[in-house]
Amino acid sequence: MNVVFYMSSFVAVIATIMVITRANAVHALLYFIVSLLSVALIFFVLGAPFIAALEVIIYAGAIMVLFVFVIMLLNIGSEAAEEEKRLMSPQAWTGPVILVAVLLGELIYVLASGDIPGAGTVVVGPKQVGITLLGQYVIGIELASMLLLSGLVGAYHLGRRRRSGERRKGVS
Amino acid sequence: MTAVNPDHGLILAAVLFALGLIGVMARRNIIFILLSIEVMLNAAGLAFVAAGAKWGRADGQVMFIFILTMAAAEVSVGLALLLQMYHKLKTLDADAASSMRG
């Protein structure tokens, strides 16, 4: 499992360097999704399969979609078409595709090797996480629900267009 | 195959956090600043999970779930602010919003 860990770490660091150096926001998003996927693989080999699934579903799935929506809202007029042309060019997607191919190779290797996630790793599964979350940390869930509610209200209030008669562009 | 040393996970979390911090300080586009903040939050979560894996406890994973909740709330408010700023200033440059009205 060590080789899987170090290769995903390598992919994560390379992808994150690409995120903070890209000029185009959509390219940076592609690289950031690759970085999140590799971190999910690291969670898996560290013995946290539940967190690995949450990383893919919520971070790479939901939060990144918010970013994509906002970038789409900001792309206006003819710039959007040129953007689309540049996005389809090979140099835009070869980098992420190579990095994802490395991750896919690791995944096939993990599945083929049989012992998941490696001998000696203590796997803390969803059951233990759920017992701890809803037992010891139940006050944290209440606080998180209040945080999410305030985030919802705040995003609705801030995303509202001030002038009346115009189309409302909310993020939530 | 041997188990992964969680200390190396902590080192990776530190590297990713430093990269996110560089992004926040070096970039002037607000979208990239928000993305770099996400990188930093993700690195903090990785540190929690690696520390939890070192002792074989579930507490680190619980903390990651809280960080995930916080990141979702933060990014929704941050992106709403970004949209408002773009409608007002017609730019995504963070330096354009450097002065207060009062």
Side-chain angles (χ1 to χ4, degrees), chain A residues 73-98:
Chain A
L73 279 179
L74 296 180
N75 261 343
I76 30 175
S78 58
E79 287 177 23
E82 293 168 23
E83 188 75 14
E84 187 67 31
K85 269 180 208 157
R86 266 185 287 134
L87 201 61
M88 292 306 289
S89 69
Q91 67 260 34
W93 49 260
T94 38
V97 162
I98 290 170

Short mmCIF file of all heavy atoms in Angstrom, two decimals, chain A residues 73-98:
data_model
loop_
_atom_site.label_atom_id
_atom_site.label_comp_id
_atom_site.label_asym_id
_atom_site.label_seq_id
_atom_site.Cartn_x
_atom_site.Cartn_y
_atom_site.Cartn_z
N LEU A 73 -21.97 31.37 -14.57
CA LEU A 73 -22.75 32.60 -14.44
C LEU A 73 -21.91 33.81 -14.82
O LEU A 73 -22.42 34.79 -15.36
CB LEU A 73 -23.24 32.77 -13.00
CG LEU A 73 -24.48 32.01 -12.58
CD1 LEU A 73 -24.77 32.28 -11.12
CD2 LEU A 73 -25.65 32.45 -13.41
N LEU A 74 -20.60 33.76 -14.54
CA LEU A 74 -19.75 34.92 -14.81
C LEU A 74 -19.34 34.98 -16.26
O LEU A 74 -18.96 36.04 -16.74
CB LEU A 74 -18.51 34.87 -13.92
CG LEU A 74 -18.77 34.98 -12.43
CD1 LEU A 74 -17.48 34.91 -11.68
CD2 LEU A 74 -19.49 36.27 -12.11
N ASN A 75 -19.36 33.86 -16.98
CA ASN A 75 -18.99 33.86 -18.39
C ASN A 75 -20.11 34.49 -19.20
O ASN A 75 -21.20 33.97 -19.26
CB ASN A 75 -18.77 32.42 -18.87
CG ASN A 75 -17.31 32.09 -18.90
OD1 ASN A 75 -16.49 32.98 -18.88
ND2 ASN A 75 -17.01 30.82 -18.95
N ILE A 76 -19.81 35.63 -19.82
CA ILE A 76 -20.89 36.35 -20.49
C ILE A 76 -20.56 36.55 -21.96
O ILE A 76 -19.43 36.83 -22.32
CB ILE A 76 -21.14 37.71 -19.81
CG1 ILE A 76 -19.82 38.20 -19.22
CG2 ILE A 76 -22.25 37.62 -18.81
CD1 ILE A 76 -19.88 39.56 -18.63
N GLY A 77 -21.58 36.41 -22.80
CA GLY A 77 -21.49 36.78 -24.19
C GLY A 77 -20.52 35.94 -25.00
O GLY A 77 -20.44 34.72 -24.86
N SER A 78 -19.76 36.63 -25.89
CA SER A 78 -18.92 35.93 -26.84
C SER A 78 -17.71 35.30 -26.17
O SER A 78 -17.09 34.39 -26.73
CB SER A 78 -18.44 36.89 -27.93
OG SER A 78 -17.73 37.95 -27.33
N GLU A 79 -17.35 35.82 -24.96
CA GLU A 79 -16.22 35.21 -24.26
C GLU A 79 -16.50 33.74 -23.98
O GLU A 79 -15.59 32.92 -24.01
CB GLU A 79 -15.98 35.94 -22.93
CG GLU A 79 -15.37 37.30 -23.09
CD GLU A 79 -15.22 37.98 -21.74
OE1 GLU A 79 -15.18 37.26 -20.74
OE2 GLU A 79 -15.17 39.22 -21.72
N ALA A 80 -17.77 33.43 -23.72
CA ALA A 80 -18.11 32.06 -23.36
C ALA A 80 -17.82 31.10 -24.50
O ALA A 80 -17.32 30.00 -24.30
CB ALA A 80 -19.58 31.98 -22.96
N ALA A 81 -18.10 31.52 -25.74
CA ALA A 81 -17.88 30.64 -26.89
C ALA A 81 -16.39 30.40 -27.10
O ALA A 81 -15.96 29.27 -27.33
CB ALA A 81 -18.50 31.26 -28.14
N GLU A 82 -15.59 31.49 -27.01
CA GLU A 82 -14.15 31.31 -27.15
C GLU A 82 -13.60 30.41 -26.05
O GLU A 82 -12.74 29.56 -26.29
CB GLU A 82 -13.45 32.67 -27.09
CG GLU A 82 -13.76 33.56 -28.27
CD GLU A 82 -13.29 34.98 -28.01
OE1 GLU A 82 -12.38 35.16 -27.18
OE2 GLU A 82 -13.83 35.89 -28.64
N GLU A 83 -14.17 30.63 -24.86
CA GLU A 83 -13.77 29.80 -23.72
C GLU A 83 -14.04 28.32 -24.02
O GLU A 83 -13.20 27.46 -23.78
CB GLU A 83 -14.60 30.23 -22.51
CG GLU A 83 -14.18 29.62 -21.21
CD GLU A 83 -12.89 30.24 -20.71
OE1 GLU A 83 -12.51 31.31 -21.23
OE2 GLU A 83 -12.29 29.65 -19.85
N GLU A 84 -15.21 28.06 -24.60
CA GLU A 84 -15.58 26.68 -24.91
C GLU A 84 -14.62 26.09 -25.93
O GLU A 84 -14.19 24.95 -25.80
CB GLU A 84 -17.01 26.67 -25.46
CG GLU A 84 -17.60 25.30 -25.67
CD GLU A 84 -17.82 24.59 -24.36
OE1 GLU A 84 -18.09 25.26 -23.35
OE2 GLU A 84 -17.69 23.36 -24.34
N LYS A 85 -14.21 26.89 -26.93
CA LYS A 85 -13.27 26.40 -27.92
C LYS A 85 -11.93 26.05 -27.29
O LYS A 85 -11.33 25.02 -27.56
CB LYS A 85 -13.06 27.46 -29.01
CG LYS A 85 -14.02 27.31 -30.17
CD LYS A 85 -13.74 28.39 -31.21
CE LYS A 85 -14.99 28.73 -31.98
NZ LYS A 85 -14.93 30.06 -32.56
N ARG A 86 -11.48 26.97 -26.41
CA ARG A 86 -10.19 26.72 -25.77
C ARG A 86 -10.26 25.53 -24.82
O ARG A 86 -9.30 24.82 -24.63
CB ARG A 86 -9.73 27.97 -25.01
CG ARG A 86 -8.81 28.85 -25.85
CD ARG A 86 -8.30 30.00 -25.04
NE ARG A 86 -9.34 30.98 -24.82
CZ ARG A 86 -9.58 31.54 -23.64
NH1 ARG A 86 -8.88 31.20 -22.59
NH2 ARG A 86 -10.54 32.44 -23.50
N LEU A 87 -11.45 25.34 -24.24
CA LEU A 87 -11.60 24.24 -23.29
C LEU A 87 -11.52 22.89 -23.98
O LEU A 87 -11.10 21.90 -23.39
CB LEU A 87 -12.94 24.38 -22.57
CG LEU A 87 -13.04 23.67 -21.24
CD1 LEU A 87 -12.01 24.24 -20.30
CD2 LEU A 87 -14.41 23.84 -20.66
N MET A 88 -11.93 22.85 -25.25
CA MET A 88 -11.89 21.58 -25.95
C MET A 88 -10.51 21.27 -26.52
O MET A 88 -10.30 20.22 -27.09
CB MET A 88 -12.91 21.60 -27.11
CG MET A 88 -14.35 21.61 -26.65
SD MET A 88 -14.70 20.28 -25.53
CE MET A 88 -14.64 18.92 -26.68
N SER A 89 -9.56 22.21 -26.42
CA SER A 89 -8.23 21.98 -26.98
C SER A 89 -7.49 20.95 -26.14
O SER A 89 -7.71 20.86 -24.93
CB SER A 89 -7.45 23.28 -27.02
OG SER A 89 -7.15 23.69 -25.71
N PRO A 90 -6.61 20.16 -26.79
CA PRO A 90 -5.97 19.05 -26.08
C PRO A 90 -5.15 19.48 -24.86
O PRO A 90 -5.15 18.79 -23.86
CB PRO A 90 -5.07 18.41 -27.14
CG PRO A 90 -5.67 18.80 -28.43
CD PRO A 90 -6.29 20.14 -28.22
N GLN A 91 -4.46 20.64 -24.94
CA GLN A 91 -3.61 20.98 -23.80
C GLN A 91 -4.43 21.30 -22.56
O GLN A 91 -3.89 21.35 -21.46
CB GLN A 91 -2.65 22.11 -24.13
CG GLN A 91 -3.30 23.46 -24.38
CD GLN A 91 -3.43 23.73 -25.86
OE1 GLN A 91 -3.64 22.80 -26.65
NE2 GLN A 91 -3.29 24.97 -26.28
N ALA A 92 -5.73 21.53 -22.72
CA ALA A 92 -6.54 21.80 -21.54
C ALA A 92 -6.81 20.53 -20.75
O ALA A 92 -6.82 20.55 -19.53
CB ALA A 92 -7.86 22.45 -21.95
N TRP A 93 -7.04 19.43 -21.46
CA TRP A 93 -7.47 18.25 -20.71
C TRP A 93 -6.43 17.14 -20.64
O TRP A 93 -6.63 16.16 -19.92
CB TRP A 93 -8.80 17.70 -21.21
CG TRP A 93 -8.93 17.49 -22.70
CD1 TRP A 93 -9.54 18.34 -23.56
CD2 TRP A 93 -8.45 16.39 -23.48
NE1 TRP A 93 -9.47 17.85 -24.84
CE2 TRP A 93 -8.80 16.65 -24.82
CE3 TRP A 93 -7.75 15.22 -23.19
CZ2 TRP A 93 -8.49 15.78 -25.85
CZ3 TRP A 93 -7.44 14.37 -24.22
CH2 TRP A 93 -7.81 14.66 -25.52
N THR A 94 -5.29 17.25 -21.35
CA THR A 94 -4.32 16.14 -21.26
C THR A 94 -3.71 16.03 -19.87
O THR A 94 -3.52 14.92 -19.38
CB THR A 94 -3.20 16.30 -22.30
OG1 THR A 94 -2.88 17.66 -22.41
CG2 THR A 94 -3.60 15.73 -23.63
N GLY A 95 -3.42 17.17 -19.24
CA GLY A 95 -2.82 17.12 -17.90
C GLY A 95 -3.67 16.37 -16.90
O GLY A 95 -3.24 15.36 -16.32
N PRO A 96 -4.94 16.81 -16.70
CA PRO A 96 -5.81 16.07 -15.78
C PRO A 96 -6.01 14.62 -16.18
O PRO A 96 -6.09 13.74 -15.32
CB PRO A 96 -7.12 16.85 -15.84
CG PRO A 96 -6.74 18.21 -16.22
CD PRO A 96 -5.57 18.07 -17.12
N VAL A 97 -6.07 14.36 -17.52
CA VAL A 97 -6.31 12.97 -17.95
C VAL A 97 -5.13 12.08 -17.56
O VAL A 97 -5.31 10.95 -17.07
CB VAL A 97 -6.57 12.92 -19.47
CG1 VAL A 97 -6.37 11.51 -20.00
CG2 VAL A 97 -7.98 13.37 -19.76
N ILE A 98 -3.90 12.61 -17.72
CA ILE A 98 -2.72 11.80 -17.34
C ILE A 98 -2.75 11.51 -15.84
O ILE A 98 -2.54 10.37 -15.40
CB ILE A 98 -1.43 12.54 -17.75
CG1 ILE A 98 -1.29 12.54 -19.27
CG2 ILE A 98 -0.21 11.89 -17.11
CD1 ILE A 98 -0.19 13.44 -19.77
#
